[in-house]
Amino acid sequence: MNASSPVPSPCINICDIDPRTGLCVGCLRTGHEITVWMSADNNLRRTILRRVEKRRAVLARQEASGRRGRRDRTRETFGL
């Protein structure tokens, strides 16, 4: 991907906002991040993707520690 190519969306078509976390269960973006995605420039899109990767790391640590269920996830889990 070159610098002028649009940064692709992390959407995987599993679109459901978890009310406990405020995150999409498919792509781990907030509702606001999803809303602004289409009008965001590549810099903002990369910022959002970095946040998503941090959230994925939190989930991986939770799974490694045995806390796997959605009920264990809250907004505080992700620093929201």
Side-chain angles (χ1 to χ4, degrees):
M1 169 176 29
N2 65 43
S4 62
S5 297
V7 174
S9 171
C11 180
I12 60 170
N13 295 318
I14 302 175
C15 306
D16 184 30
I17 301 294
D18 182 330
R20 292 180 58 114
T21 64
L23 300 174
C24 174
V25 298
C27 67
L28 296 179
R29 290 181 291 171
T30 65
H32 177 73
E33 290 167 343
I34 293 167
T35 301
V36 302
W37 186 266
M38 292 304 291
S39 62
D41 64 19
N42 281 343
N43 287 332
L44 179 54
R45 287 180 176 193
R46 285 186 202 94
T47 297
I48 292 169
L49 290 179
R50 283 191 295 274
R51 291 176 190 154
V52 167
E53 287 308 311
K54 287 180 183 178
R55 293 171 190 147
R56 286 191 201 291
V58 168
L59 288 178
R61 284 193 301 274
Q62 278 189 336
E63 289 182 5
S65 70
R67 293 176 27 206
R68 304 170 106 172
R70 287 173 90 184
R71 69 182 181 280
D72 292 329
R73 301 176 191 163
T74 64
R75 292 176 190 274
E76 292 76 28
T77 302
F78 298 100
L80 301 173

